[in-house]
Amino acid sequence: MIALLVRDLRLAFRAGGGFGLGLAFFLIVTVMVPFSVGPNSDTLSRIAPGILWLGALLACLLSLDRLLALDWEDGSLDLLATAPLPLEGVLSVKALAHWLTTGLPLVLAAPVLGVLLNLPAGGYLWITLSLLIGTPALSVVGTFGAALTVGLKRGGLLLSLLVMPLYVPTLIFGAEVARRGASGMSVETPLLMLAGITLGTIALLPFASAAVLRVNLR
């Protein structure tokens, strides 16, 4: 599993489309929002948590079509499916590699980019914590979508359509944690819901992803 993780991390940095693309898109969204809604600091402060979460979600979505497609094209996915490592473990490692190269950089960049959106001082901790808890769910759900669409021509659009509805609960509770934290309100309920969604996806979706991938590989 460690060798597979190191391999996927190297591919993400060498092949492109993962680490740099997600951060660049996140930066573009954050920079362009003040131009579109105006320079009013009160408006920016009010919408900053939602914009940061939406930008992180879309940035994670950009690299999902490459999560299994490269392995499918060069035939290594068939070898991984017949390896001693369970397919559920393979997909879990791939989700972890996606989070390390896409989700974690977004978590670290969010407080810096929050300055551009005039995020309230009390919101920096909570936007970081909510993204840290919620972005693993985005990677795991994205792995499930990638397993559903692997091998399909132009499956990127279909992948987006399949995954976006599954992302909505994470987006709602993640943005609510950041919004309440920035306003000084209690964050306990949305934070527990966000953590529950992440833990549930990590526990269940690798098995579902492995099941649909076996069907696609037959």
mmCIF file of all heavy atoms in Angstrom, residues 7-62:
data_model
loop_
_atom_site.group_PDB
_atom_site.id
_atom_site.type_symbol
_atom_site.label_atom_id
_atom_site.label_comp_id
_atom_site.label_asym_id
_atom_site.label_seq_id
_atom_site.Cartn_x
_atom_site.Cartn_y
_atom_site.Cartn_z
ATOM 1 N N ARG A 7 3.758 5.752 -5.557
ATOM 2 C CA ARG A 7 3.629 5.774 -7.021
ATOM 3 C C ARG A 7 2.594 6.806 -7.467
ATOM 4 O O ARG A 7 2.835 7.591 -8.396
ATOM 5 C CB ARG A 7 3.217 4.389 -7.519
ATOM 6 C CG ARG A 7 2.788 4.338 -8.976
ATOM 7 C CD ARG A 7 2.270 2.952 -9.331
ATOM 8 N NE ARG A 7 1.762 2.906 -10.686
ATOM 9 C CZ ARG A 7 0.504 3.202 -11.024
ATOM 10 N NH1 ARG A 7 -0.358 3.581 -10.080
ATOM 11 N NH2 ARG A 7 0.106 3.121 -12.280
ATOM 12 N N ASP A 8 1.418 6.828 -6.814
ATOM 13 C CA ASP A 8 0.368 7.762 -7.205
ATOM 14 C C ASP A 8 0.761 9.208 -6.915
ATOM 15 O O ASP A 8 0.417 10.117 -7.675
ATOM 16 C CB ASP A 8 -0.930 7.423 -6.477
ATOM 17 C CG ASP A 8 -1.648 6.227 -7.076
ATOM 18 O OD1 ASP A 8 -1.154 5.715 -8.101
ATOM 19 O OD2 ASP A 8 -2.690 5.805 -6.543
ATOM 20 N N LEU A 9 1.494 9.425 -5.831
ATOM 21 C CA LEU A 9 1.968 10.777 -5.529
ATOM 22 C C LEU A 9 2.956 11.254 -6.588
ATOM 23 O O LEU A 9 2.902 12.402 -7.037
ATOM 24 C CB LEU A 9 2.613 10.809 -4.144
ATOM 25 C CG LEU A 9 1.682 10.613 -2.946
ATOM 26 C CD1 LEU A 9 2.482 10.581 -1.647
ATOM 27 C CD2 LEU A 9 0.630 11.706 -2.886
ATOM 28 N N ARG A 10 3.845 10.361 -7.006
ATOM 29 C CA ARG A 10 4.805 10.731 -8.045
ATOM 30 C C ARG A 10 4.105 11.031 -9.360
ATOM 31 O O ARG A 10 4.444 11.994 -10.062
ATOM 32 C CB ARG A 10 5.821 9.610 -8.237
ATOM 33 C CG ARG A 10 6.840 9.477 -7.095
ATOM 34 C CD ARG A 10 7.750 8.288 -7.318
ATOM 35 N NE ARG A 10 8.775 8.205 -6.277
ATOM 36 C CZ ARG A 10 9.617 7.191 -6.148
ATOM 37 N NH1 ARG A 10 9.557 6.172 -7.013
ATOM 38 N NH2 ARG A 10 10.506 7.188 -5.181
ATOM 39 N N LEU A 11 3.119 10.211 -9.711
ATOM 40 C CA LEU A 11 2.377 10.449 -10.948
ATOM 41 C C LEU A 11 1.629 11.776 -10.899
ATOM 42 O O LEU A 11 1.528 12.480 -11.904
ATOM 43 C CB LEU A 11 1.388 9.299 -11.194
ATOM 44 C CG LEU A 11 1.985 7.971 -11.660
ATOM 45 C CD1 LEU A 11 0.900 6.908 -11.761
ATOM 46 C CD2 LEU A 11 2.678 8.146 -13.008
ATOM 47 N N ALA A 12 1.073 12.100 -9.731
ATOM 48 C CA ALA A 12 0.330 13.354 -9.608
ATOM 49 C C ALA A 12 1.232 14.557 -9.839
ATOM 50 O O ALA A 12 0.816 15.547 -10.447
ATOM 51 C CB ALA A 12 -0.321 13.432 -8.227
ATOM 52 N N PHE A 13 2.467 14.486 -9.380
ATOM 53 C CA PHE A 13 3.392 15.609 -9.555
ATOM 54 C C PHE A 13 4.005 15.624 -10.957
ATOM 55 O O PHE A 13 4.231 16.697 -11.517
ATOM 56 C CB PHE A 13 4.506 15.546 -8.507
ATOM 57 C CG PHE A 13 4.071 15.981 -7.143
ATOM 58 C CD1 PHE A 13 3.788 15.036 -6.160
ATOM 59 C CD2 PHE A 13 3.921 17.318 -6.834
ATOM 60 C CE1 PHE A 13 3.383 15.436 -4.896
ATOM 61 C CE2 PHE A 13 3.515 17.728 -5.579
ATOM 62 C CZ PHE A 13 3.237 16.787 -4.602
ATOM 63 N N ARG A 14 4.241 14.430 -11.532
ATOM 64 C CA ARG A 14 4.902 14.389 -12.835
ATOM 65 C C ARG A 14 3.931 14.613 -13.979
ATOM 66 O O ARG A 14 4.229 15.338 -14.927
ATOM 67 C CB ARG A 14 5.593 13.034 -13.014
ATOM 68 C CG ARG A 14 6.796 12.826 -12.113
ATOM 69 C CD ARG A 14 7.378 11.428 -12.291
ATOM 70 N NE ARG A 14 8.520 11.194 -11.417
ATOM 71 C CZ ARG A 14 9.150 10.032 -11.329
ATOM 72 N NH1 ARG A 14 8.760 9.011 -12.070
ATOM 73 N NH2 ARG A 14 10.176 9.894 -10.504
ATOM 74 N N ALA A 15 2.749 13.972 -13.899
ATOM 75 C CA ALA A 15 1.800 14.055 -15.005
ATOM 76 C C ALA A 15 1.054 15.372 -15.033
ATOM 77 O O ALA A 15 0.500 15.760 -16.054
ATOM 78 C CB ALA A 15 0.798 12.892 -14.919
ATOM 79 N N GLY A 16 1.016 16.088 -13.907
ATOM 80 C CA GLY A 16 0.276 17.337 -13.864
ATOM 81 C C GLY A 16 -1.212 17.076 -13.743
ATOM 82 O O GLY A 16 -1.692 15.960 -13.754
ATOM 83 N N GLY A 17 -1.972 18.151 -13.615
ATOM 84 C CA GLY A 17 -3.410 18.038 -13.529
ATOM 85 C C GLY A 17 -3.928 17.762 -12.133
ATOM 86 O O GLY A 17 -5.125 17.684 -11.928
ATOM 87 N N GLY A 18 -3.050 17.623 -11.151
ATOM 88 C CA GLY A 18 -3.502 17.354 -9.794
ATOM 89 C C GLY A 18 -3.151 18.492 -8.865
ATOM 90 O O GLY A 18 -3.950 19.384 -8.592
ATOM 91 N N PHE A 19 -1.924 18.455 -8.375
ATOM 92 C CA PHE A 19 -1.471 19.412 -7.372
ATOM 93 C C PHE A 19 -1.585 20.858 -7.865
ATOM 94 O O PHE A 19 -2.277 21.681 -7.260
ATOM 95 C CB PHE A 19 -0.033 19.073 -7.005
ATOM 96 C CG PHE A 19 0.582 20.023 -6.027
ATOM 97 C CD1 PHE A 19 0.260 19.940 -4.685
ATOM 98 C CD2 PHE A 19 1.474 20.988 -6.451
ATOM 99 C CE1 PHE A 19 0.822 20.823 -3.776
ATOM 100 C CE2 PHE A 19 2.040 21.863 -5.550
ATOM 101 C CZ PHE A 19 1.717 21.783 -4.211
ATOM 102 N N GLY A 20 -0.936 21.174 -8.950
ATOM 103 C CA GLY A 20 -0.905 22.554 -9.405
ATOM 104 C C GLY A 20 -2.228 23.053 -9.941
ATOM 105 O O GLY A 20 -2.616 24.200 -9.701
ATOM 106 N N LEU A 21 -2.961 22.215 -10.663
ATOM 107 C CA LEU A 21 -4.213 22.643 -11.274
ATOM 108 C C LEU A 21 -5.258 22.995 -10.223
ATOM 109 O O LEU A 21 -5.957 24.002 -10.339
ATOM 110 C CB LEU A 21 -4.752 21.536 -12.189
ATOM 111 C CG LEU A 21 -6.040 21.842 -12.940
ATOM 112 C CD1 LEU A 21 -5.862 23.050 -13.844
ATOM 113 C CD2 LEU A 21 -6.481 20.633 -13.753
ATOM 114 N N GLY A 22 -5.378 22.178 -9.183
ATOM 115 C CA GLY A 22 -6.355 22.460 -8.145
ATOM 116 C C GLY A 22 -6.069 23.767 -7.430
ATOM 117 O O GLY A 22 -6.982 24.577 -7.209
ATOM 118 N N LEU A 23 -4.810 23.997 -7.070
ATOM 119 C CA LEU A 23 -4.450 25.243 -6.397
ATOM 120 C C LEU A 23 -4.668 26.455 -7.292
ATOM 121 O O LEU A 23 -5.159 27.498 -6.840
ATOM 122 C CB LEU A 23 -2.986 25.187 -5.961
ATOM 123 C CG LEU A 23 -2.689 24.562 -4.596
ATOM 124 C CD1 LEU A 23 -1.191 24.593 -4.331
ATOM 125 C CD2 LEU A 23 -3.439 25.269 -3.496
ATOM 126 N N ALA A 24 -4.316 26.324 -8.577
ATOM 127 C CA ALA A 24 -4.492 27.436 -9.509
ATOM 128 C C ALA A 24 -5.972 27.777 -9.666
ATOM 129 O O ALA A 24 -6.346 28.958 -9.675
ATOM 130 C CB ALA A 24 -3.872 27.083 -10.861
ATOM 131 N N PHE A 25 -6.813 26.760 -9.775
ATOM 132 C CA PHE A 25 -8.241 27.020 -9.918
ATOM 133 C C PHE A 25 -8.798 27.671 -8.650
ATOM 134 O O PHE A 25 -9.607 28.602 -8.724
ATOM 135 C CB PHE A 25 -8.973 25.710 -10.195
ATOM 136 C CG PHE A 25 -10.440 25.878 -10.445
ATOM 137 C CD1 PHE A 25 -10.908 26.216 -11.704
ATOM 138 C CD2 PHE A 25 -11.365 25.711 -9.417
ATOM 139 C CE1 PHE A 25 -12.264 26.380 -11.932
ATOM 140 C CE2 PHE A 25 -12.711 25.878 -9.640
ATOM 141 C CZ PHE A 25 -13.166 26.210 -10.902
ATOM 142 N N PHE A 26 -8.385 27.192 -7.491
ATOM 143 C CA PHE A 26 -8.827 27.763 -6.222
ATOM 144 C C PHE A 26 -8.439 29.236 -6.131
ATOM 145 O O PHE A 26 -9.227 30.091 -5.699
ATOM 146 C CB PHE A 26 -8.206 26.966 -5.077
ATOM 147 C CG PHE A 26 -8.845 27.190 -3.736
ATOM 148 C CD1 PHE A 26 -10.171 27.576 -3.623
ATOM 149 C CD2 PHE A 26 -8.113 26.999 -2.580
ATOM 150 C CE1 PHE A 26 -10.764 27.771 -2.384
ATOM 151 C CE2 PHE A 26 -8.697 27.181 -1.334
ATOM 152 C CZ PHE A 26 -10.022 27.576 -1.237
ATOM 153 N N LEU A 27 -7.223 29.544 -6.555
ATOM 154 C CA LEU A 27 -6.757 30.927 -6.546
ATOM 155 C C LEU A 27 -7.564 31.797 -7.505
ATOM 156 O O LEU A 27 -7.957 32.922 -7.165
ATOM 157 C CB LEU A 27 -5.273 30.972 -6.910
ATOM 158 C CG LEU A 27 -4.645 32.354 -7.053
ATOM 159 C CD1 LEU A 27 -4.706 33.106 -5.731
ATOM 160 C CD2 LEU A 27 -3.202 32.244 -7.537
ATOM 161 N N ILE A 28 -7.842 31.275 -8.695
ATOM 162 C CA ILE A 28 -8.595 32.047 -9.687
ATOM 163 C C ILE A 28 -9.998 32.362 -9.175
ATOM 164 O O ILE A 28 -10.484 33.499 -9.297
ATOM 165 C CB ILE A 28 -8.661 31.277 -11.019
ATOM 166 C CG1 ILE A 28 -7.281 31.242 -11.671
ATOM 167 C CG2 ILE A 28 -9.673 31.908 -11.969
ATOM 168 C CD1 ILE A 28 -7.192 30.330 -12.873
ATOM 169 N N VAL A 29 -10.671 31.364 -8.599
ATOM 170 C CA VAL A 29 -12.016 31.591 -8.066
ATOM 171 C C VAL A 29 -11.997 32.664 -6.991
ATOM 172 O O VAL A 29 -12.819 33.585 -6.973
ATOM 173 C CB VAL A 29 -12.600 30.277 -7.510
ATOM 174 C CG1 VAL A 29 -13.886 30.540 -6.730
ATOM 175 C CG2 VAL A 29 -12.876 29.296 -8.635
ATOM 176 N N THR A 30 -11.025 32.575 -6.089
ATOM 177 C CA THR A 30 -10.953 33.527 -4.977
ATOM 178 C C THR A 30 -10.638 34.937 -5.460
ATOM 179 O O THR A 30 -11.173 35.910 -4.925
ATOM 180 C CB THR A 30 -9.876 33.078 -3.976
ATOM 181 O OG1 THR A 30 -10.122 31.721 -3.592
ATOM 182 C CG2 THR A 30 -9.908 33.928 -2.727
ATOM 183 N N VAL A 31 -9.800 35.057 -6.464
ATOM 184 C CA VAL A 31 -9.429 36.374 -6.968
ATOM 185 C C VAL A 31 -10.562 36.995 -7.779
ATOM 186 O O VAL A 31 -10.799 38.213 -7.710
ATOM 187 C CB VAL A 31 -8.142 36.262 -7.822
ATOM 188 C CG1 VAL A 31 -7.870 37.571 -8.558
ATOM 189 C CG2 VAL A 31 -6.955 35.911 -6.937
ATOM 190 N N MET A 32 -11.298 36.188 -8.542
ATOM 191 C CA MET A 32 -12.321 36.719 -9.426
ATOM 192 C C MET A 32 -13.604 37.111 -8.696
ATOM 193 O O MET A 32 -14.345 37.977 -9.179
ATOM 194 C CB MET A 32 -12.650 35.690 -10.514
ATOM 195 C CG MET A 32 -11.497 35.381 -11.442
ATOM 196 S SD MET A 32 -10.865 36.853 -12.301
ATOM 197 C CE MET A 32 -12.249 37.204 -13.387
ATOM 198 N N VAL A 33 -13.896 36.487 -7.564
ATOM 199 C CA VAL A 33 -15.146 36.788 -6.854
ATOM 200 C C VAL A 33 -15.254 38.261 -6.473
ATOM 201 O O VAL A 33 -16.306 38.877 -6.691
ATOM 202 C CB VAL A 33 -15.296 35.869 -5.623
ATOM 203 C CG1 VAL A 33 -16.379 36.392 -4.680
ATOM 204 C CG2 VAL A 33 -15.653 34.460 -6.057
ATOM 205 N N PRO A 34 -14.218 38.893 -5.886
ATOM 206 C CA PRO A 34 -14.361 40.321 -5.565
ATOM 207 C C PRO A 34 -14.642 41.191 -6.782
ATOM 208 O O PRO A 34 -15.329 42.217 -6.659
ATOM 209 C CB PRO A 34 -13.002 40.671 -4.931
ATOM 210 C CG PRO A 34 -12.490 39.385 -4.392
ATOM 211 C CD PRO A 34 -12.949 38.341 -5.369
ATOM 212 N N PHE A 35 -14.140 40.792 -7.962
ATOM 213 C CA PHE A 35 -14.431 41.568 -9.161
ATOM 214 C C PHE A 35 -15.895 41.432 -9.577
ATOM 215 O O PHE A 35 -16.474 42.358 -10.148
ATOM 216 C CB PHE A 35 -13.527 41.126 -10.319
ATOM 217 C CG PHE A 35 -12.087 41.504 -10.140
ATOM 218 C CD1 PHE A 35 -11.143 40.556 -9.820
ATOM 219 C CD2 PHE A 35 -11.666 42.819 -10.270
ATOM 220 C CE1 PHE A 35 -9.818 40.887 -9.641
ATOM 221 C CE2 PHE A 35 -10.333 43.169 -10.096
ATOM 222 C CZ PHE A 35 -9.405 42.201 -9.777
ATOM 223 N N SER A 36 -16.492 40.273 -9.305
ATOM 224 C CA SER A 36 -17.862 40.028 -9.752
ATOM 225 C C SER A 36 -18.917 40.568 -8.784
ATOM 226 O O SER A 36 -19.984 40.991 -9.217
ATOM 227 C CB SER A 36 -18.087 38.527 -9.966
ATOM 228 O OG SER A 36 -17.913 37.819 -8.757
ATOM 229 N N VAL A 37 -18.632 40.549 -7.485
ATOM 230 C CA VAL A 37 -19.641 40.993 -6.504
ATOM 231 C C VAL A 37 -19.369 42.405 -6.003
ATOM 232 O O VAL A 37 -20.199 42.975 -5.286
ATOM 233 C CB VAL A 37 -19.704 40.031 -5.306
ATOM 234 C CG1 VAL A 37 -20.035 38.633 -5.758
ATOM 235 C CG2 VAL A 37 -18.418 40.041 -4.499
ATOM 236 N N GLY A 38 -18.220 42.981 -6.345
ATOM 237 C CA GLY A 38 -17.915 44.337 -5.909
ATOM 238 C C GLY A 38 -16.983 44.351 -4.719
ATOM 239 O O GLY A 38 -16.792 43.345 -4.044
ATOM 240 N N PRO A 39 -16.429 45.516 -4.414
ATOM 241 C CA PRO A 39 -15.427 45.615 -3.344
ATOM 242 C C PRO A 39 -16.003 45.809 -1.946
ATOM 243 O O PRO A 39 -15.246 46.046 -1.004
ATOM 244 C CB PRO A 39 -14.618 46.849 -3.767
ATOM 245 C CG PRO A 39 -15.629 47.722 -4.457
ATOM 246 C CD PRO A 39 -16.586 46.795 -5.143
ATOM 247 N N ASN A 40 -17.316 45.740 -1.806
ATOM 248 C CA ASN A 40 -17.929 45.949 -0.495
ATOM 249 C C ASN A 40 -17.433 44.900 0.501
ATOM 250 O O ASN A 40 -17.662 43.702 0.325
ATOM 251 C CB ASN A 40 -19.462 45.884 -0.622
ATOM 252 C CG ASN A 40 -20.148 46.313 0.654
ATOM 253 O OD1 ASN A 40 -20.006 45.669 1.691
ATOM 254 N ND2 ASN A 40 -20.913 47.402 0.583
ATOM 255 N N SER A 41 -16.772 45.351 1.554
ATOM 256 C CA SER A 41 -16.152 44.422 2.498
ATOM 257 C C SER A 41 -17.187 43.623 3.285
ATOM 258 O O SER A 41 -16.955 42.459 3.620
ATOM 259 C CB SER A 41 -15.234 45.180 3.462
ATOM 260 O OG SER A 41 -15.960 46.169 4.169
ATOM 261 N N ASP A 42 -18.341 44.229 3.577
ATOM 262 C CA ASP A 42 -19.378 43.507 4.321
ATOM 263 C C ASP A 42 -19.933 42.351 3.498
ATOM 264 O O ASP A 42 -20.162 41.252 4.017
ATOM 265 C CB ASP A 42 -20.509 44.463 4.717
ATOM 266 C CG ASP A 42 -20.060 45.488 5.743
ATOM 267 O OD1 ASP A 42 -19.101 45.195 6.480
ATOM 268 O OD2 ASP A 42 -20.658 46.583 5.796
ATOM 269 N N THR A 43 -20.145 42.607 2.202
ATOM 270 C CA THR A 43 -20.648 41.539 1.321
ATOM 271 C C THR A 43 -19.644 40.415 1.202
ATOM 272 O O THR A 43 -19.996 39.234 1.285
ATOM 273 C CB THR A 43 -20.961 42.109 -0.069
ATOM 274 O OG1 THR A 43 -21.926 43.159 0.058
ATOM 275 C CG2 THR A 43 -21.518 41.032 -0.983
ATOM 276 N N LEU A 44 -18.378 40.757 1.022
ATOM 277 C CA LEU A 44 -17.341 39.736 0.903
ATOM 278 C C LEU A 44 -17.210 38.921 2.185
ATOM 279 O O LEU A 44 -17.043 37.700 2.131
ATOM 280 C CB LEU A 44 -16.001 40.388 0.560
ATOM 281 C CG LEU A 44 -15.880 40.986 -0.849
ATOM 282 C CD1 LEU A 44 -14.551 41.709 -1.004
ATOM 283 C CD2 LEU A 44 -16.011 39.899 -1.898
ATOM 284 N N SER A 45 -17.283 39.568 3.327
ATOM 285 C CA SER A 45 -17.186 38.852 4.601
ATOM 286 C C SER A 45 -18.326 37.860 4.771
ATOM 287 O O SER A 45 -18.137 36.766 5.307
ATOM 288 C CB SER A 45 -17.195 39.849 5.767
ATOM 289 O OG SER A 45 -16.075 40.694 5.715
ATOM 290 N N ARG A 46 -19.504 38.256 4.295
ATOM 291 C CA ARG A 46 -20.682 37.405 4.463
ATOM 292 C C ARG A 46 -20.612 36.165 3.587
ATOM 293 O O ARG A 46 -21.044 35.080 3.978
ATOM 294 C CB ARG A 46 -21.944 38.222 4.161
ATOM 295 C CG ARG A 46 -23.217 37.595 4.643
ATOM 296 C CD ARG A 46 -24.356 38.604 4.701
ATOM 297 N NE ARG A 46 -24.569 39.272 3.415
ATOM 298 C CZ ARG A 46 -24.306 40.564 3.196
ATOM 299 N NH1 ARG A 46 -23.793 41.314 4.171
ATOM 300 N NH2 ARG A 46 -24.519 41.103 2.025
ATOM 301 N N ILE A 47 -20.089 36.297 2.374
ATOM 302 C CA ILE A 47 -20.091 35.174 1.440
ATOM 303 C C ILE A 47 -18.766 34.410 1.420
ATOM 304 O O ILE A 47 -18.674 33.375 0.762
ATOM 305 C CB ILE A 47 -20.409 35.650 0.009
ATOM 306 C CG1 ILE A 47 -19.272 36.533 -0.535
ATOM 307 C CG2 ILE A 47 -21.745 36.371 -0.036
ATOM 308 C CD1 ILE A 47 -19.437 36.907 -1.993
ATOM 309 N N ALA A 48 -17.755 34.893 2.142
ATOM 310 C CA ALA A 48 -16.420 34.286 2.072
ATOM 311 C C ALA A 48 -16.408 32.804 2.423
ATOM 312 O O ALA A 48 -15.811 32.006 1.684
ATOM 313 C CB ALA A 48 -15.453 35.054 2.971
ATOM 314 N N PRO A 49 -17.054 32.353 3.520
ATOM 315 C CA PRO A 49 -16.999 30.913 3.819
ATOM 316 C C PRO A 49 -17.583 30.045 2.709
ATOM 317 O O PRO A 49 -16.997 29.014 2.352
ATOM 318 C CB PRO A 49 -17.822 30.799 5.114
ATOM 319 C CG PRO A 49 -17.748 32.150 5.742
ATOM 320 C CD PRO A 49 -17.740 33.106 4.590
ATOM 321 N N GLY A 50 -18.714 30.467 2.154
ATOM 322 C CA GLY A 50 -19.317 29.684 1.075
ATOM 323 C C GLY A 50 -18.482 29.675 -0.182
ATOM 324 O O GLY A 50 -18.360 28.637 -0.848
ATOM 325 N N ILE A 51 -17.885 30.804 -0.523
ATOM 326 C CA ILE A 51 -17.052 30.879 -1.723
ATOM 327 C C ILE A 51 -15.811 30.018 -1.576
ATOM 328 O O ILE A 51 -15.410 29.301 -2.509
ATOM 329 C CB ILE A 51 -16.664 32.339 -2.014
ATOM 330 C CG1 ILE A 51 -17.906 33.147 -2.392
ATOM 331 C CG2 ILE A 51 -15.636 32.409 -3.131
ATOM 332 C CD1 ILE A 51 -18.615 32.659 -3.628
ATOM 333 N N LEU A 52 -15.181 30.048 -0.412
ATOM 334 C CA LEU A 52 -13.992 29.228 -0.197
ATOM 335 C C LEU A 52 -14.327 27.746 -0.278
ATOM 336 O O LEU A 52 -13.576 26.955 -0.863
ATOM 337 C CB LEU A 52 -13.366 29.560 1.157
ATOM 338 C CG LEU A 52 -12.666 30.923 1.248
ATOM 339 C CD1 LEU A 52 -12.274 31.229 2.684
ATOM 340 C CD2 LEU A 52 -11.439 30.960 0.341
ATOM 341 N N TRP A 53 -15.466 27.355 0.284
ATOM 342 C CA TRP A 53 -15.844 25.950 0.217
ATOM 343 C C TRP A 53 -16.215 25.530 -1.197
ATOM 344 O O TRP A 53 -15.849 24.445 -1.653
ATOM 345 C CB TRP A 53 -17.011 25.673 1.168
ATOM 346 C CG TRP A 53 -16.595 24.831 2.326
ATOM 347 C CD1 TRP A 53 -16.275 25.241 3.578
ATOM 348 C CD2 TRP A 53 -16.410 23.407 2.306
ATOM 349 N NE1 TRP A 53 -15.904 24.171 4.359
ATOM 350 C CE2 TRP A 53 -15.979 23.036 3.607
ATOM 351 C CE3 TRP A 53 -16.569 22.430 1.350
ATOM 352 C CZ2 TRP A 53 -15.714 21.707 3.952
ATOM 353 C CZ3 TRP A 53 -16.290 21.109 1.692
ATOM 354 C CH2 TRP A 53 -15.873 20.761 2.973
ATOM 355 N N LEU A 54 -16.933 26.383 -1.913
ATOM 356 C CA LEU A 54 -17.297 26.056 -3.289
ATOM 357 C C LEU A 54 -16.067 25.970 -4.179
ATOM 358 O O LEU A 54 -15.950 25.067 -5.015
ATOM 359 C CB LEU A 54 -18.265 27.108 -3.834
ATOM 360 C CG LEU A 54 -18.785 26.884 -5.260
ATOM 361 C CD1 LEU A 54 -19.544 25.577 -5.364
ATOM 362 C CD2 LEU A 54 -19.661 28.049 -5.703
ATOM 363 N N GLY A 55 -15.126 26.885 -3.985
ATOM 364 C CA GLY A 55 -13.892 26.834 -4.765
ATOM 365 C C GLY A 55 -13.097 25.567 -4.490
ATOM 366 O O GLY A 55 -12.560 24.951 -5.417
ATOM 367 N N ALA A 56 -13.033 25.149 -3.223
ATOM 368 C CA ALA A 56 -12.324 23.922 -2.889
ATOM 369 C C ALA A 56 -13.011 22.705 -3.489
ATOM 370 O O ALA A 56 -12.353 21.783 -3.986
ATOM 371 C CB ALA A 56 -12.229 23.784 -1.364
ATOM 372 N N LEU A 57 -14.331 22.688 -3.464
ATOM 373 C CA LEU A 57 -15.079 21.560 -4.036
ATOM 374 C C LEU A 57 -14.826 21.441 -5.538
ATOM 375 O O LEU A 57 -14.551 20.353 -6.048
ATOM 376 C CB LEU A 57 -16.566 21.748 -3.743
ATOM 377 C CG LEU A 57 -17.529 20.618 -4.137
ATOM 378 C CD1 LEU A 57 -18.722 20.605 -3.184
ATOM 379 C CD2 LEU A 57 -18.046 20.804 -5.561
ATOM 380 N N LEU A 58 -14.919 22.555 -6.250
ATOM 381 C CA LEU A 58 -14.708 22.520 -7.697
ATOM 382 C C LEU A 58 -13.255 22.184 -8.037
ATOM 383 O O LEU A 58 -12.986 21.512 -9.036
ATOM 384 C CB LEU A 58 -15.102 23.864 -8.312
ATOM 385 C CG LEU A 58 -16.592 24.223 -8.208
ATOM 386 C CD1 LEU A 58 -16.836 25.619 -8.758
ATOM 387 C CD2 LEU A 58 -17.451 23.199 -8.943
ATOM 388 N N ALA A 59 -12.314 22.643 -7.211
ATOM 389 C CA ALA A 59 -10.907 22.314 -7.448
ATOM 390 C C ALA A 59 -10.661 20.818 -7.277
ATOM 391 O O ALA A 59 -9.897 20.216 -8.036
ATOM 392 C CB ALA A 59 -10.024 23.119 -6.495
ATOM 393 N N CYS A 60 -11.311 20.206 -6.291
ATOM 394 C CA CYS A 60 -11.199 18.752 -6.125
ATOM 395 C C CYS A 60 -11.806 18.016 -7.316
ATOM 396 O O CYS A 60 -11.305 16.964 -7.731
ATOM 397 C CB CYS A 60 -11.901 18.313 -4.840
ATOM 398 S SG CYS A 60 -11.001 18.698 -3.321
ATOM 399 N N LEU A 61 -12.862 18.575 -7.866
ATOM 400 C CA LEU A 61 -13.559 17.927 -8.970
ATOM 401 C C LEU A 61 -12.728 17.890 -10.244
ATOM 402 O O LEU A 61 -12.876 16.981 -11.067
ATOM 403 C CB LEU A 61 -14.888 18.659 -9.225
ATOM 404 C CG LEU A 61 -15.910 18.013 -10.141
ATOM 405 C CD1 LEU A 61 -16.425 16.723 -9.536
ATOM 406 C CD2 LEU A 61 -17.076 18.976 -10.393
ATOM 407 N N LEU A 62 -11.818 18.860 -10.403
ATOM 408 C CA LEU A 62 -11.065 18.973 -11.654
ATOM 409 C C LEU A 62 -10.216 17.748 -11.958
ATOM 410 O O LEU A 62 -10.088 17.353 -13.115
ATOM 411 C CB LEU A 62 -10.167 20.218 -11.594
ATOM 412 C CG LEU A 62 -10.821 21.574 -11.823
ATOM 413 C CD1 LEU A 62 -9.785 22.668 -11.691
ATOM 414 C CD2 LEU A 62 -11.496 21.636 -13.181
#
